[in-house]
Amino acid sequence: MMSAQRFPPRISVRHNPIAGGHGGQPPVDMNAFLADLNPEQRAAAQHGRDPLLIVAGAGTGKTTTLAHRVAALVASGVSPSRILLLTFTRRAAAEMMRRVDALLGKWRKPGLDARSVQTRELWGGTFHAVATRLLRQHGQLIGLTPEFTILDRSDAEDLMNALRTELDLAKAAARFPLKGTCLDIYSRVVNTQQPLDLVLKETFPWVAEQAEGLKRLFTAYTDRKEQQQTLDYDDLLLFWHVLMTTPECANVVQGKFDCVLIDEYQDTNTLQFEILRGLSPNGQGVTVVGDDAQAIYSFRAATVRNILDFPQHFPGVQVVRLEQNYRSTQPLLDATNAVIALATEGHRKTLWSAKKTGPLPRYVPCLDETEQTDYVIEQVLQLRETGIELRRQAVLFRASHHSLALELELARRNIPFHKFGGLKFVEAAHVKDLLAFLRLAENPRDSVSALRVLLLLPGIGPKKAGQLAKDLQAAEGAFATWADFQPPKDTALHWPLFIALMKILMRTTSARLTLAEELRHVRLFYTPLLEQKFDDAQVRLRDLEQLEQLASRFESRGQMLTELTLDPPNSTQDFAADPLLDEDWLTLSTIHSVKGLEYDAVFLLHAADGNMPSDLATGNDAEIEEERRLFYVGLSRAKTWLSVCHPQRYFFAHRSRNDHHSYSQRTRFLPETILPLFETINRKPTGSSPGASTTAAVLSTADVRRRIGRLW
C-alpha cells in the first residue's frame, strides 16, 4: 500500500489575482476572460508572483492553463518582452504563442495598450533555443564569440570518434566504449553535474575501468571545441548555466525577465533546475507545470526530484492540482488512477471525468506473440468499420523491436502504418553533406564540417583532409590558404569549383545571394558527388530540393542552421505532406515517443514482466518506479478504448530453429487488486493458433498408447 506520509502535503487552492501589472498598473478584472476554465485552472491563471507549481494530470488541460496564465500576465500589464516561456519542443512553444494571441485577440478592453496584446516579443522556445539566443547576445561576457556554430548529435559523435582515434584509445588492451557511448557518458556528466567516476559507477558500470581514458578523451573533446568555437547541445545549457552562476553575468540576464514559466517541468535535469534558480533565486515570478506521474526520461538525465522537491526548493510555493480530465472516460481513469496510486511517492491526485460511461479497459492474455498480433489487427479493423479511422488508433510498446511481428503482418495484409522514432531528416547522410558546406562557411574553424566536405571530393582521403582542415584553422578560416593546394589527379576537376563555391558562400565575391540561392549553388556542386555516392540519388535529390524551398522561411543562414540543429524535422513530410500516400494509417510508437499525444483507441503490447518493466531497468527502486510511470503514460493516451496485451509464451530468439520457449508473468504493474477494473478477454483458440484444431478425433488416446506399447 502507499505510504501517505511520503507525499507533499496538499495545499488548498487560493484565488490570488495577479497583483500589480508591469509599471505599477492596477489589476485587471478578468472574470469573463477566464470563464471557460474550471476553478483550479482559473486559480493557476490568476496566481500572483509567488512561486507556483501546477501539477497537471494527464489530459487535464495543461496547455490551456499555461496559455491563460501567460495571457493573464500580459493582459495585466507585464511586458511580453519580460516573460520567458521554456518548453521542450519548438512546436509546443509555437502552439502556446498561438493560443495566447487568440485569447488576447478575443479580449480587448478600452484603454488596454494594443502593444501589450502582441506576443512576438515574448521569449518563448526550448531550453536550447533560448540558450542559443542568450549566448549570442551575452556570450562575450564569458569569452564566447557570437559566431559560434552548433554541433548536432551526429557531428558531436564524429568529433568524439576522431579524437578517440587520435589518442589511440581504441587500441587499448581492454575494450574501449564506442563513440555513441562516450558521448552519452559525457552528456550525463554535464547534465547531472556529477563527477565522471560517480556517473560510471551508477549508470555505466561496464566501462568503469576505462575512466582514465575517458578523462583524456573528454579533455581533448572540450579543448577541440574551444579551438573551433563550436558548441554541442550540452554546451548550450552548460554555458547558460555559467552565465547564471557568475554574479556579474547573472545580474544582466536576471534583469531581462519578470516572469519565468516552464512547461513539462518533470522532464528537466539538474543543470536546467540550477539555471531556473539562477534566473529567480527566490522563486518570484516562477511558474512550473508538470506531472511527476509522467516523468519517464531519466535516460536523458532528467530527474523527477525537480518536481517532487519543488516545494522545498522554493518556500512559499502554491501547489495547484489539475484533476479534471478532458481526454478519457471514467472507466479508463479508474484503472489508470489505480496503477499510479501504487507509486511509492508523488504529488497525489485523483483524475476524474465528466464522461462517466464507456467500455472497461481490456486485459488480453494471449497464447503468444502471434495471437497478440492477430488480436490487435482484428480489433483495429473492427473499430475502423465502426468509424474509428486508423489514424485515431495507436499501438504502443516499450521498445522499438516489440512491434516487428506486427509490422510484418500489417504489411502482409496491406494495412498502412507509420512508426514513430525513425531517422530524422537532417541526420540523413545526403542532408548532412549539404548542410556541412553551409556550416563550414558560417564557421571555418568547424573541423567536423571541413572533414565531411573534403572527404566528399574524389582523391582526398582522411589524412589529406585532416591536414587541409588544420591548415584552414591555422589561417584563421581564410580559404585563400587552400587556393595554393595542388590537388591530386582525381580531384583536379572538382577543386577549383569547390574553392569558387566556398568564396560565394563566404560572401567574398560580388554576388549577393539569398539563402535559397546559396543552397542551389551547393546542390548543383554536390549533385554529381551524390550520384556517385548513392544508388537512390533521385530520391535524395528531391529531399535537397525540398530543403532549398524551406530556406525561404529563414531570415539568415545562421538561423536556419541553428533551428534545423535544435529542432530537426523527422522527414521532408514534416514540411508539406502526410506521412503516407494513403487515405489513412495506423500509428505504431514506443511509449516514450508518444508522450503528450492521445488516441481514441490504444493497444499496449507485451505487458509481461521483463518487457514492462524492461529487465534492463529493474536494477533499483528508482528505475522500477520510472517503468511504472512509463506504463501509466501508455495507458493514459487512450480516450475510449484500451487493450493491454500479455503474450504468455515467448520463443527464444537467435537460436537454431526449434520450439524452445518460456512462459512469462503478467506485468507487476497490474496486480490482482487492479484487475477487477479491467475486462479480461480470454481468447478462444482458432485455426491460426499453434496446436489448435476443430477436426473430430479419429483415434483415442488409448489407441495411441496401444501402438507405442508394441515397442516393448
Side-chain angles (χ1 to χ4, degrees):
M1 294 297 292
M2 195 186 318
S3 177
Q5 63 270 22
R6 296 189 64 182
F7 287 81
R10 182 181 292 268
I11 301 176
S12 61
V13 174
R14 302 192 308 268
H15 293 270
N16 184 9
I18 297 173
H22 183 60
Q25 295 180 13
V28 179
D29 181 9
M30 290 180 285
N31 287 331
F33 178 55
L34 304 176
D36 294 335
L37 302 184
N38 65 42
E40 290 75 23
Q41 292 173 329
R42 178 185 288 237
Q46 291 183 291
H47 181 70
R49 299 293 182 86
D50 290 338
L52 172 65
L53 167 61
I54 304 173
V55 180
T60 57
K62 168 181 67 70
T63 302
T64 296
T65 304
L66 192 57
H68 277 81
R69 172 106 178 110
V70 174
L73 288 169
V74 174
S76 69
V78 180
S79 170
S81 64
R82 300 188 62 79
I83 297 176
L84 172 60
L85 173 62
L86 294 167
T87 64
F88 275 82
T89 67
R90 185 162 57 93
R91 293 175 183 82
E95 172 64 12
M96 196 73 68
M97 297 303 96
R98 186 192 67 77
R99 292 199 188 193
V100 171
D101 273 332
L103 287 169
L104 292 171
K106 292 178 181 177
W107 187 81
R108 297 192 184 190
K109 285 191 173 182
L112 183 65
D113 182 5
R115 183 173 175 274
S116 70
V117 298
Q118 300 298 320
T119 60
R120 287 190 295 271
E121 297 179 6
L122 192 148
W123 283 66
T126 66
F127 271 91
H128 293 90
V130 170
T132 302
R133 184 176 172 188
L134 284 171
L135 290 172
R136 294 210 190 277
Q137 288 187 4
H138 305 295
Q140 66 272 18
L141 294 173
I142 53 176
L144 183 66
T145 63
E147 294 79 23
F148 66 84
T149 54
I150 304 169
L151 301 176
D152 64 17
R153 168 79 191 199
S154 178
D155 292 332
E157 283 188 4
D158 289 345
L159 179 57
M160 190 76 77
N161 197 47
L163 295 170
R164 181 178 178 272
T165 302
E166 285 182 23
L167 296 172
D168 285 333
L169 294 172
K171 296 181 180 179
R175 178 171 58 96
F176 198 80
L178 296 175
K179 60 181 183 179
T181 303
C182 292
L183 189 61
D184 287 341
I185 296 170
Y186 171 83
S187 181
R188 195 165 192 91
V189 169
V190 171
N191 286 290
T192 62
Q193 293 289 283
Q194 292 180 338
L196 173 62
D197 291 338
L198 181 59
V199 167
L200 292 179
K201 178 181 177 182
E202 292 186 347
T203 313
F204 301 91
W206 61 93
V207 293
E209 63 183 17
Q210 299 291 351
E212 292 306 313
L214 287 168
K215 291 175 183 178
R216 291 172 54 208
L217 177 61
F218 294 165
T219 299
Y221 179 63
T222 53
D223 289 346
R224 187 64 56 87
K225 288 185 295 179
E226 179 66 19
Q227 294 168 9
Q228 300 174 3
Q229 284 293 289
T230 56
L231 304 183
D232 61 23
Y233 286 149
D234 300 316
D235 288 334
L236 293 173
L237 296 185
L238 183 63
F239 278 57
W240 186 8
H241 177 257
V242 171
L243 276 180
M244 302 316 306
T245 53
T246 304
E248 298 82 358
C249 307
N251 291 335
V252 174
V253 181
Q254 283 176 8
K256 298 176 72 72
F257 306 113
D258 293 329
C259 299
V260 179
L261 303 94
I262 302 180
D263 192 14
E264 303 286 5
Y265 188 66
Q266 77 281 349
D267 295 334
T268 55
N269 59 39
T270 300
L271 203 57
Q272 290 163 328
F273 161 69
E274 293 183 358
I275 289 171
L276 172 61
R277 193 184 322 246
L279 288 168
S280 180
N282 60 9
Q284 287 299 298
V286 169
T287 298
V288 299
V289 185
D291 182 9
D292 55 282
Q294 298 186 67
I296 58 174
Y297 292 116
S298 66
F299 66 93
R300 297 180 186 168
T303 172
V304 70
R305 301 310 322 174
N306 282 354
I307 190 168
L308 291 179
D309 299 339
F310 189 82
Q312 286 72 51
H313 293 151
F314 297 102
V317 65
Q318 179 177 349
V319 179
V320 174
R321 291 171 174 80
L322 305 184
E323 296 177 302
Q324 183 175 357
N325 179 285
Y326 297 94
R327 172 187 300 160
S328 306
T329 61
Q330 193 61 49
L332 294 188
L333 292 179
D334 291 340
T336 55
N337 284 337
V339 167
I340 201 62
L342 296 178
T344 56
E345 60 179 331
H347 293 284
R348 285 184 297 178
K349 53 193 173 297
T350 301
L351 302 188
W352 61 274
S353 173
K355 306 171 187 175
K356 298 302 182 184
T357 60
L360 287 174
R362 290 180 164 189
Y363 166 63
V364 188
C366 304
L367 179 64
D368 54 22
E369 189 172 13
T370 299
E371 188 172 291
Q372 174 181 253
T373 296
D374 288 342
Y375 170 78
V376 169
I377 293 179
E378 169 192 303
Q379 293 299 310
V380 163
L381 294 178
Q382 282 186 14
L383 287 170
R384 180 175 177 270
E385 291 304 312
T386 66
I388 308 301
E389 298 169 308
L390 294 180
R391 72 186 70 190
R392 292 162 58 191
Q393 304 181 53
V395 182
L396 309 182
F397 30 87
R398 172 65 176 85
S400 183
H401 67 272
H402 287 169
S403 67
L404 294 181
L406 177 63
E407 291 175 48
L408 290 173
E409 188 62 15
L410 288 170
R412 189 183 73 81
R413 302 195 194 187
N414 196 30
I415 300 174
F417 64 89
H418 182 55
K419 187 173 181 179
F420 281 66
L423 183 70
K424 290 186 180 295
F425 174 62
V426 295
E427 292 171 357
H430 57 296
V431 178
K432 288 185 67 65
D433 288 346
L434 188 78
L435 294 178
F437 288 92
L438 302 185
R439 292 182 187 280
L440 183 58
E442 195 72 10
N443 180 8
R445 288 176 288 189
D446 182 351
S447 67
V448 173
S449 295
L451 288 172
R452 188 175 193 102
V453 167
L454 290 168
L455 289 172
L456 290 172
L457 304 178
I460 293 185
K463 184 176 180 180
K464 178 56 68 176
Q467 185 57 53
L468 287 168
K470 289 180 180 178
D471 292 344
L472 186 62
Q473 281 194 16
E476 297 184 349
F479 282 95
T481 191
W482 282 356
D484 299 330
F485 170 62
Q486 297 299 317
K489 182 180 178 181
D490 291 342
T491 320
L493 177 65
H494 297 85
W495 190 255
L497 299 175
F498 171 59
I499 295 299
L501 172 65
M502 294 312 300
K503 287 182 178 180
I504 290 174
L505 297 180
M506 290 294 293
R507 296 158 184 166
T508 57
T509 66
S510 58
R512 288 294 180 265
L513 305 178
T514 65
L515 179 55
E517 290 170 334
E518 287 185 7
L519 274 165
R520 182 172 181 273
H521 277 273
V522 176
R523 178 173 60 81
L524 292 176
F525 173 81
Y526 175 58
T527 294
L529 303 176
L530 179 146
E531 289 173 340
Q532 294 177 12
K533 187 176 179 181
F534 301 106
D535 292 333
D536 55 345
Q538 292 306 310
V539 175
R540 294 174 185 266
L541 282 172
R542 285 197 292 272
D543 283 345
L544 302 186
E545 291 168 359
Q546 183 71 48
L547 189 61
E548 190 177 315
Q549 296 174 23
L550 176 71
S552 61
R553 304 184 188 183
F554 298 96
E555 296 179 0
S556 68
R557 184 169 66 197
Q559 183 197 17
M560 176 179 176
L561 291 172
T562 298
E563 293 199 13
L564 287 180
T565 301
L566 296 181
D567 189 24
N570 283 307
S571 67
T572 52
Q573 295 157 344
D574 279 11
F575 306 141
D578 289 334
L580 292 166
L581 297 177
D582 201 290
E583 61 175 354
D584 204 3
W585 64 88
L586 178 68
T587 293
L588 310 185
S589 177
T590 62
I591 301 174
H592 282 106
S593 298
V594 82
K595 181 171 172 288
L597 302 178
E598 59 184 37
Y599 298 89
D600 287 89
V602 167
F603 301 88
L604 192 62
L605 303 186
H606 295 290
D609 240 65
N611 290 329
M612 178 61 70
S614 167
D615 54 7
L616 299 178
T618 55
N620 54 54
D621 291 343
E623 288 183 350
I624 294 172
E625 286 304 308
E626 177 155 335
E627 290 290 295
R628 186 194 311 277
R629 296 193 294 268
L630 186 62
F631 183 59
Y632 169 77
V633 168
L635 300 179
S636 59
R637 300 309 93 197
K639 298 169 68 174
T640 307
W641 292 275
L642 171 65
S643 290
V644 179
C645 301
H646 168 211
Q648 297 173 315
R649 181 169 65 179
Y650 285 92
F651 290 89
F652 297 140
H654 312 301
R655 304 274 182 92
S656 59
R657 294 186 179 182
N658 55 43
D659 290 332
H660 291 173
H661 62 274
S662 64
Y663 285 92
S664 66
Q665 298 292 322
R666 182 179 66 247
T667 174
R668 69 189 70 181
F669 304 138
L670 280 184
E672 291 291 339
T673 55
I674 292 180
L675 276 186
L677 298 173
F678 288 75
E679 177 188 4
T680 299
I681 304 297
N682 291 307
R683 289 174 56 76
K684 295 179 180 179
T686 66
S688 62
S689 297
S693 175
T694 58
T695 305
V698 296
L699 291 173
S700 69
T701 55
D703 293 328
V704 176
R705 296 185 192 282
R706 279 193 294 271
R707 287 187 180 187
I708 196 67
R710 296 169 187 167
L711 297 177
W712 56 80

